Structure formats: C-alpha cells, structure tokens
Amino acid sequence: MITGGQSYVSAPPAFSADGRLLLVCSGRAVSVFSTATAMLVSELEGHEGDVTAVVVVAPPAQATAAAKLASYCWTAGLDGVLIYWDFLAAEVVRKVQVGLPVHSMVVPNICRTSKGAEVPTPFAFISVEDTSKPASEAKALRGQMKIYDLTKGRQVGGLLAETRKPENIVASSSGEFLGIANKRKLHIWSIPTKDFKPDKIRKIKLRHTKNLTTLAFHPTERTVAGGDVTGRILIWRCFGKSKFSESSVKSKEDEGRDGVRGDDDADTCTTWHWHSSSVKFLKFSSDGAYLFSGGLEGVIVVWQLDTGKRRYKPRLGSPLLFFVDSPDSSISCVSCTNNQVYLLKMPNMEVMRSIAGIKLPIASRNLGGAGRAVYGFDYTNRLVAIPTEDYCIQFYNLFDNTEISEMQVCERNFQPNDDITMYISLVSLSIDGNLMCTVDVKLPEEELGGLVTLKFWNHGSRAGHYSLSTIIYEPHSDAGVSSVAFRPGRNMAVSSSFGGNFKVWVQSLSSQSSDEKKCSGWRCQSVGSYKKKPMTSAVFSADGSVLAVAAENVITLWDPDNNALVGVIAETLSPVTNLSFVGTSVFLMSLCQSSKPQIALWNVSNLSMQWSYSIYAEAACCSPDGSEFAVLALLSCPDGETLTQQDGVILLFDAESPNPIASWSVKKASGGSISFVKGDVSLDANADSSRDKEAMLLVYVNGSHEYAIFDPRKSEVVVSKNTHKKIQAEESAPIGYASIYGDLQKLESKKEVSDVPFIPSDRPWETIFSGSSHVLPPLTKLCSAFLSSLLENRPVGNE
C-alpha cells in the first residue's frame, strides 16, 4: 500500500543547525527537505500517531567544530512517545514513553551542575491531553503541561498548568522563559537554565480583554508580544520585573504603567492593530529590532519595534499559520493553510522555493451540492485533480506524492479573507487524460449576477498540463451542471443539468490554412430531455455506444450519435446522484444519496435490477476493464465526533454477486472519494505476467485529502516504506573559496579537439605516418610504437 497526501502545515517546521535542511511534520513521519532545492531528502518514520512537534537540538556554544555538525532532533506525537533522532542518518537513538497524546513540545537549553561543572541536560516541556477526562464535559481540564527528564526518561515535578484543551508552548531563544496563550491571559514561566530544579520555576499572568491566540518572546530583552482574535498585537515590556527578579521586591509604582491591566507584572503595554482578523503567528527577528506577524490576510507584516512602522510581504495567496527562521537568519519559512511552505530569503523576504503538498479541503464544502467531492482522477497518468480556493486546479501525482502543476481556471483575484463569490463545482477528465472539463460557478449577489461557465481543455505536452479550448457561458441557461462525462475513444462529451435537459458536445477541428496548426473547439451537437425532469447524472458505456442519463429517479438509455431514447429502466427509491457502467459488462451501477439511500446494480440488456442495498455511500467507482466496482459507505457517527471524523468502509463487489468480495475499514470517510487507477508494474516484483502488468489499483482519498493506494485483489494490505518517492540525495556543502565567493565559472574551450585513439598494428610503419599532420598522435607515442614493432618478442624458457 502506498500512502501520501499528509499535511505539511499541521505543526511548525524546524531548520537544522546549519540551515541546509528543513524538518516538516507530515502525518506520522517527519519529512526532511533540502532548503537549496526544496526536494525531499529523507523521512523519519517511527511514530504510531501524527507527529505534532519537532525540535532540533542546538549544539552547545563551546562545542567543537565536529560536534556542531551533529544532527539530532526530538519529535513528539499523538501516540504519546518522544523520539530522539539522528535525522541525517534517519535513525532512532532513543524513545521516551509519555502515555498521553502530546500536542506541543519545547526543549530549552538547560544545564545542571555535576562535579562542579555545568552539564547540558535535556528537559522537555510538553502539552498533553488527558484522555481519561470526558470530552463531552465543557469544563473538563483535558490540557496539562508536564516536564520530562529526557536523560532518565521520566516526569519530574508536578503539573505546570491545566487548561481546557492542550495549548501550544512557546519558548524564548535563550530558554529562560516559556509561555502559553490561554483564553484572555498569557501564562509565562521563568525557567532556571543553570542548576535546574522544578521547584525554582516561577509564573506570572498577563491579562487582556480579548482571547489571545499566539505569543512570542524578544531574543534579548524581557519583552513579550501577544496577538488576539480581533487582529490586535500587544507588546508587554519588562514583564516579571518584580516576580522574576532575584530580590522579589514588588514595585510600588501602580500608576503610570501605560496599558497594563490591574496588578500585572509589566512596565508598559503597547497595542498595534493592522490585521482584520485573528493573528496566527508572531516572531521577533534575531536582533530583536523587528516583529513579524501574519494571519488570514495572507500577508506578512514587519513591525519596527521602536517606532511601530510597518512594511509588508503580500500576495502569498493563502492564510498564514507559522513563521520560522533559520539559526543564521538568512532563510525563513512561512506555512500556509493551502498545505504549502514557502522558503524566504531574508531580509527582503523574497520567495526562493516552495514545498507544496496536496491542497487541503475547502472550508465551504457544501457549495459543491449534494455533498459530493469534486475530485477528478486521471486513470492513465495516476493523477488526481483537486480544485483549490484560489480558483485553480492542482494536479497531484499519487505515486510520487508530489505536485505536478497548478492550473488557473478562473482569471480572478483571490483574497483569502473575502467571502466566497466563486468556486469550481466540477472537474471531469477523460479516461486517457487527454481531455478535461471544468465547471465554475459565480454566486449571485443579492440574487443577481449568477453565472455558470463550462470550459473544455486540451492536453498539453506533459501530464497535468492543459490549455483552454472552449468557454461556454450558461451551457444550460440559468440551471446548474450536475455532471460531465467523456465518451471513450471519441471527442464527445455530455453534460447534464438540474434544469431538465442534457447536451451532447463534440469537438470540431478547423484551420485557416494548411500551414497553420489546427485549432479545436467544442459545439453542442444535440439536446435531450425526459419528461422535464432534472438530469442528475450521465455516463457513457465502455465502448461509447450507450449513453445513460439519470432523470431524477429514472434511468434512461440513449443512442449518443442519433440522440434517440432506446430504453428506460425502472425507478429508484430517490434521485440518482451517480451513474457508472461496470467495465465492459452489461451492468450499470447507480448511487442515491438522499434520505432514502441506495446502491443498485442494473442489467442494461433486459432493463431489470440485478440487486441493491439500502446503505449510504459517499462515493462509488467502477473498474474500466474488469467486472468489479467499489463503494465507500459511511458508518454511523459516534457521539462527540464531527462529520469530518466519520469513519467508513470500502466494499468491493463483483457485478455477478451481491456479496462483497472484500472490505476495508477507513477513517475520515465523510468528504472522501475512491477511484481505480492503472497499476504500476515497478511496485510489484512478482508482476511478470501480462495480467499483472495491467492490474488496477484502488485509490482512497479521505476527507482530509490523505490517500492510500492498494491492490484490491490482494487479501493482505501491507504498508510499504514509500520507496517509490523521489528522494534526492543531499548535496554536499561548499567549502573553502566556494563557501565564501561561490563556485568559479567553468571556462570551456571554443574549439573541441577529440582525442585520437592509437592502436598499434602488426605493420605500423605502413599507416603510422598517413593522414593529415594535425591529427597525428603525439611524437612520444609514435616513437615507442615504431620501435616496439621492430623488436621481436621471444618466450622465456624455464631455467
């Protein structure tokens, strides 16, 4: 089984000590990328749950040059395990069992005195979730902050704090301060970094009138910044002056502390406001002169700390989540909600490269109608086409787990924080991937100005690249398009409409002259309807001779060439939302997703029902060549879980039998989809027969766009190590002159003179001096060959 589609933005990434590598949490693994190429270098696989934190161990200041090149990190996950890695070798060094899901972790630089010397000792401050307390109780304190001695592998001290939910822990660069944002308060702890003891930890609280979302510590001063849900940024200066000082004498100056609420331990509190909504991250520059902030606007705001002046890095295209800088501050990265990580060259924040994962689900999924996912699958090239929020379609390689391309469908500016006014409602690809059709919908404003656009696209020079061929505005008057299907082997397509008709489209080729390249366009060939009922789905048979169209709850059969009705199948329990022919057989599968769900199989030859089940199916797909089809059925949603967490089961049927031949339990089935794709013989060493080479694989994409590819014919599903991924070998770092001034330019001679091979012959003097003088071999070779040819070789006898 091949897995992929993990989120790269579920947790903050981390740079290596030299800034050459970026460690990104990706599902149950940590992906290590090269900052020079943005290519995958290696993966750290060892957690049984999603990884929630990665912390690179910084080498001590007094460490040797060899020690500073060491590459170690700590990771934490929802499986309740802390793992110490050598991430260059991708090897586990040790594990620490916590026993509770870990949501956040920091490892500050802490020393302990041993035999009169300060010895660095790793302590982890972790935020865990107490699963023993019921989640249904609104006031249950399920979040806990604990301290773990990573050397001894056990907890030290008591709980630092208890909260309603696990909070994100932020540490200062020196490790002297820790903090969390909990409701309307900042909880800040002073950590004794030298001769550490848990009972010496002190705590203060800084209050605000709104809920706080994030915080950041100044690298050198006792200053902390906090962001709230309204977009305000608050700067507390000289916090903990009385509580954290050694004298512990409280200040008597209760007045004159601008912006400080009540008896909070801070000198001043300054408020800045630019963001229109919640602040997602705050980060001070390494010199402390600037503060970076970001949120839903997709803009990085750079604040000058002394004056409050600001400048911007706009047009990142998606709401921002995290901002992390490298140890040398020459490179930074910003994580966006569209599952993309941008590498920025500092200080001008120029985007150098990006690490793109699969696009995450759109928040307003209900716009697509009928609760159906709008993915498009390229059966031949093994790609998935996913609509994005910014009116694009991302083509993602399922086998390599990489983005192939991103194509703009609607030429329209996108603002992340604006209301949704347009979306892509449908994507359909032909079975060979040469043709594509998209449907985009512009929502009406005050019931005026709505528009449905149908677009046909031709395949480009590479997989996942298309060029626009034809634009059709309002293809079915003012009604929406319910489905689009291509005819196999022909440049023909059908679109069905909720307005009560379907249209057959054909591609015409025309050229103005014989020398010019032909231009293709699509036109409507015929229009059909059945008793003015809404046409909810349409599909062609495998050979293209039959067109099946669902007229609400009636399935009709048509001759696509003559647009003639040839048959009507009996009514279903509710309107049909999906039709599909089962391979080259005579069977047709129908799917109903209303209050009376049904999955049914019909025999087209005698217009009768073969069998049916009353189950709610999220999606279904049929094999293009065989007699199998798969159904993604939803299970009942347990109490306390949302619909996005609803589990399901994949059922594999053979058209001849109503009994499933295989089944698989899956997670996050709501909003998911399934499809067959062409198999890859390189993934199976035993695939030597012609049948194995044409074997089909089944793809399951869940509601979070994580996917799994497996062979449905095999009874055992084994998780592979994803050896198919394109992992690039790490590039060697430049040294010496190249590390300072870069590589020298290679000068190539304008005239290339090929080496003339010299092979002595039995009579070299006959040909050795023949030919032009400028192509003769060197004189040393001429003399040695000429003299050796005059000598006679005699065997040496045994004495």
Side-chain angles (χ1 to χ4, degrees):
M1 181 172 68
I2 301 171
T3 58
Q6 295 83 2
S7 173
Y8 291 154
V9 296
S10 59
F15 282 95
S16 60
D18 56 4
R20 294 170 52 215
L21 300 175
L22 183 67
L23 284 68
V24 180
C25 299
S26 55
R28 298 187 175 185
V30 175
S31 300
V32 183
F33 292 92
S34 168
T35 57
T37 62
M39 297 293 291
L40 183 66
V41 175
S42 63
E43 286 187 317
L44 310 181
E45 297 177 334
H47 283 278
E48 297 297 328
D50 288 347
V51 181
T52 55
V54 55
V55 179
V56 175
V57 178
Q62 65 276 12
T64 61
K68 290 184 178 181
L69 295 177
S71 52
Y72 297 98
C73 70
W74 284 95
T75 59
L78 297 181
D79 55 353
V81 180
L82 311 180
I83 302 182
Y84 190 51
W85 299 86
D86 181 352
F87 59 82
L88 279 186
E91 295 179 351
V92 176
V93 179
R94 65 169 304 183
K95 292 185 178 182
V96 176
Q97 296 290 337
V98 175
L100 293 175
V102 182
H103 289 260
S104 180
M105 176 183 66
V106 294
V107 184
N109 297 323
I110 293 178
C111 297
R112 272 188 169 180
T113 304
S114 177
K115 297 180 181 180
E118 293 183 354
V119 179
T121 307
F123 283 86
F125 293 77
I126 59 176
S127 176
V128 301
E129 182 180 6
D130 188 357
T131 55
S132 63
K133 297 180 180 179
S136 57
E137 293 186 9
K139 296 184 179 181
L141 300 178
R142 291 172 61 90
Q144 297 178 349
M145 282 187 62
K146 298 182 178 181
I147 309 174
Y148 264 77
D149 187 337
L150 298 178
T151 303
K152 299 179 181 179
R154 60 181 177 85
Q155 182 181 350
V156 295
L159 296 179
L160 284 180
E162 285 188 291
T163 56
R164 297 281 178 85
K165 60 181 181 65
E167 301 291 349
N168 184 40
I169 307 175
V170 178
S172 61
S173 57
S174 63
E176 185 180 356
F177 301 107
L178 302 180
I180 62 171
N182 182 26
K183 294 185 177 180
R184 300 182 179 183
K185 297 178 182 178
L186 289 185
H187 299 249
I188 300 176
W189 290 267
S190 175
I191 309 298
T193 56
K194 297 182 179 180
D195 194 15
F196 173 79
K197 291 182 181 180
D199 55 359
K200 292 184 178 181
I201 298 177
R202 299 177 182 178
K203 176 184 177 181
I204 65 170
K205 296 180 182 179
L206 300 176
R207 293 172 293 175
H208 183 42
T209 57
K210 303 294 182 181
N211 287 339
L212 295 161
T213 56
T214 184
L215 75 154
F217 291 99
H218 195 278
T220 57
E221 300 175 1
R222 192 172 287 186
T223 301
V224 62
D228 67 8
V229 293
T230 64
R232 291 177 173 84
I233 299 174
L234 294 91
I235 310 293
W236 286 275
R237 301 178 188 271
C238 297
F239 66 87
K241 191 173 183 180
S242 59
K243 187 74 177 286
F244 293 162
S245 61
E246 296 180 358
S247 60
S248 299
V249 177
K250 293 185 178 180
S251 176
K252 296 182 180 180
E253 298 178 1
D254 294 334
E255 298 180 358
R257 299 185 303 158
D258 296 337
V260 180
R261 296 182 60 83
D263 57 351
D264 288 355
D265 194 356
D267 281 359
T268 61
C269 180
T270 306
T271 302
W272 294 336
H273 195 185
W274 181 87
H275 299 279
S276 60
S277 56
S278 176
V279 180
K280 292 300 182 181
F281 70 77
L282 292 172
K283 182 70 176 181
F284 282 95
S285 59
S286 58
D287 57 1
Y290 297 95
L291 175 67
F292 302 93
S293 66
L296 298 181
E297 303 85 3
V299 178
I300 300 177
V301 184
V302 185
W303 304 82
Q304 191 173 8
L305 202 60
D306 293 337
T307 63
K309 294 181 179 180
R310 56 183 180 262
R311 58 187 179 92
Y312 311 96
K313 174 60 180 177
R315 297 186 181 91
L316 291 175
S318 181
L320 311 181
L321 291 175
F322 311 111
F323 184 87
V324 180
D325 57 350
S326 61
D328 61 354
S329 300
S330 62
I331 301 176
S332 297
C333 73
V334 59
S335 303
C336 305
T337 57
N338 62 354
N339 204 18
Q340 197 159 7
V341 180
Y342 291 102
L343 296 173
L344 308 177
K345 183 178 180 181
M346 304 303 287
N348 56 358
M349 293 187 293
E350 177 187 355
V351 177
M352 298 189 303
R353 292 170 186 85
S354 65
I355 301 171
I358 194 169
K359 298 300 182 183
L360 299 181
I362 301 175
S364 301
R365 172 68 68 184
N366 56 351
L367 292 176
R372 293 175 291 174
V374 292
Y375 316 121
F377 289 93
D378 188 341
Y379 171 81
T380 304
N381 298 310
R382 301 183 289 269
L383 305 178
V384 60
I386 299 178
T388 64
E389 284 185 323
D390 54 349
Y391 322 123
C392 295
I393 291 180
Q394 181 196 41
F395 290 91
Y396 203 79
N397 191 310
L398 296 171
F399 279 58
D400 294 336
N401 195 23
T402 56
E403 180 186 83
I404 298 298
S405 64
E406 188 170 335
M407 187 186 69
Q408 188 80 28
V409 174
C410 307
E411 297 295 335
R412 187 185 178 115
N413 292 331
F414 172 72
Q415 296 297 332
N417 56 348
D418 288 349
D419 295 334
I420 295 178
T421 59
M422 178 179 289
Y423 65 96
I424 300 173
S425 64
L426 195 145
V427 180
S428 179
L429 291 95
S430 61
I431 191 170
D432 56 3
N434 290 330
L435 299 172
M436 183 180 69
C437 181
T438 61
V439 178
D440 56 84
V441 178
K442 180 183 179 298
L443 298 176
E445 298 180 6
E446 298 181 357
E447 300 182 356
L448 295 175
L451 180 66
V452 178
T453 307
L454 181 71
K455 297 179 181 179
F456 288 97
W457 307 76
N458 292 333
H459 193 269
S461 58
R462 293 176 294 170
H465 292 76
Y466 291 85
S467 59
L468 183 61
S469 170
T470 306
I471 302 177
I472 303 169
Y473 297 104
E474 300 288 358
H476 297 272
S477 298
D478 56 349
V481 179
S482 58
S483 69
V484 174
F486 286 97
R487 184 175 181 178
R490 297 278 297 274
N491 292 347
M492 179 183 290
V494 60
S495 63
S496 59
S497 166
F498 295 109
N501 62 8
F502 68 89
K503 291 186 177 181
V504 177
W505 308 88
V506 294
Q507 188 179 30
S508 58
L509 302 177
S510 61
S511 60
Q512 298 179 357
S513 65
S514 58
D515 297 334
E516 293 181 359
K517 188 178 179 180
K518 291 185 177 181
C519 300
S520 60
W522 290 78
R523 60 179 178 83
C524 180
Q525 176 178 272
S526 58
V527 181
S529 64
Y530 183 79
K531 297 182 179 180
K532 298 182 180 180
K533 289 188 175 184
M535 298 295 183
T536 55
S537 183
V539 67
F540 285 96
S541 61
D543 59 359
S545 60
V546 179
L547 171 62
V549 183
E552 206 166 27
N553 59 343
V554 178
I555 301 176
T556 59
L557 304 178
W558 302 75
D559 181 355
D561 294 322
N562 302 321
N563 197 27
L565 181 65
V566 296
V568 178
I569 301 180
E571 295 185 359
T572 59
L573 296 178
S574 57
V576 177
T577 56
N578 189 1
L579 280 177
S580 182
F581 280 93
V582 183
T584 57
S585 66
V586 296
F587 297 107
L588 176 68
M589 185 272 300
S590 67
L591 179 63
C592 304
Q593 296 176 302
S594 63
S595 59
K596 295 181 179 180
Q598 183 188 45
I599 178 78
L601 191 71
W602 308 86
N603 192 322
V604 179
S605 60
N606 54 21
L607 305 180
S608 64
M609 179 185 289
Q610 192 78 0
W611 50 264
S612 67
Y613 281 105
S614 295
I615 57 175
Y616 187 85
E618 183 74 7
C621 65
C622 295
S623 168
D625 300 324
S627 60
E628 302 95 350
F629 68 94
V631 176
L632 175 60
L634 294 180
L635 302 177
S636 59
C637 189
D639 296 337
E641 291 189 3
T642 61
L643 289 177
T644 56
Q645 298 171 330
Q646 194 170 359
D647 296 338
V649 59
I650 298 177
L651 304 174
L652 182 67
F653 291 93
D654 188 279
E656 301 290 343
S657 173
N659 299 321
I661 59 179
S663 63
W664 301 271
S665 298
V666 294
K667 300 288 186 180
K668 302 179 183 179
S670 179
S673 184
I674 53 177
S675 177
F676 285 94
V677 295
K678 182 181 291 186
D680 190 351
V681 67
S682 63
L683 300 180
D684 191 357
N686 299 323
D688 53 356
S689 65
S690 60
R691 182 180 181 276
D692 290 333
K693 292 181 180 180
E694 297 297 331
M696 288 172 296
L697 301 177
L698 189 61
V699 179
Y700 165 62
V701 182
N702 66 15
S704 299
H705 288 184
E706 300 169 339
Y707 63 83
I709 308 175
F710 57 94
D711 190 345
R713 296 185 177 92
K714 293 184 178 180
S715 58
E716 296 183 0
V717 178
V718 181
V719 179
S720 68
K721 292 298 182 179
N722 291 338
T723 55
H724 62 284
K725 292 183 179 179
K726 296 180 180 179
I727 297 181
Q728 183 190 33
E730 184 186 1
E731 297 181 352
S732 58
I735 59 175
Y737 181 91
S739 64
I740 302 175
Y741 302 104
D743 296 331
L744 289 173
Q745 184 179 3
K746 295 182 179 180
L747 300 177
E748 298 181 358
S749 58
K750 297 181 180 180
K751 186 176 182 180
E752 296 182 358
V753 179
S754 59
D755 295 333
V756 180
F758 176 75
I759 302 176
S761 61
D762 294 336
R763 302 171 63 89
W765 53 84
E766 296 181 356
T767 58
I768 196 170
F769 297 112
S770 63
S772 304
S773 60
H774 68 275
V775 297
L776 289 176
L779 185 60
T780 54
K781 289 187 177 182
L782 286 173
C783 293
S784 60
F786 178 73
L787 294 176
S788 61
S789 65
L790 301 179
L791 300 178
E792 182 180 358
N793 295 327
R794 295 182 178 180
V796 179
N798 296 330
E799 295 180 356

